[in-house]
Amino acid sequence: TQVNIVRKISVGPDYMKCMHYVVGQEVLGRSYMIDSIIQEGSSISIYIRKDDEIVKWKEFSSTMPVSIEFKIDF
């Protein structure tokens, strides 16, 4: 099974006006950092980290327009 590591998602119908979430981005007043973005079945979840605690922060269903950028190392 191939695992694709998501680096960035953009949520919304218009790419130039949508919300962008990137692994490593500071969120919630810089108190948390996006730890990972994971495709879970037909939805996409964003997990955030503060110190050693990781929690699920957001989940987007398959009905939400989302653009996914995968991490590619050459």
Side-chain angles (χ1 to χ4, degrees), residues 4-9 23 36-39 44 68-71:
N4 292 312
I5 300 172
V6 178
R7 187 190 87 77
K8 173 184 176 182
I9 64 167
V23 172
S36 54
I37 302 169
I38 300 174
Q39 276 186 292
I44 298 173
I68 302 171
E69 182 177 307
F70 297 98
K71 181 178 179 186

Side-chain angles (χ1 to χ4, degrees), residues 1-6 9 35-48 54-63 66 68 70:
T1 303
Q2 181 180 359
V3 175
N4 292 312
I5 300 172
V6 178
I9 64 167
D35 180 76
S36 54
I37 302 169
I38 300 174
Q39 276 186 292
E40 300 175 312
S42 62
S43 65
I44 298 173
S45 299
I46 299 177
Y47 291 84
I48 56 176
I54 298 175
V55 295
K56 189 177 203 176
W57 180 43
K58 292 184 181 263
E59 181 176 331
F60 301 100
S61 70
S62 60
T63 60
V66 174
I68 302 171
F70 297 98

Side-chain angles (χ1 to χ4, degrees), residues 13-25:
D14 182 345
Y15 185 81
M16 298 305 286
K17 296 179 182 177
C18 63
M19 293 296 297
H20 303 279
Y21 301 97
V22 182
V23 172
Q25 175 183 345

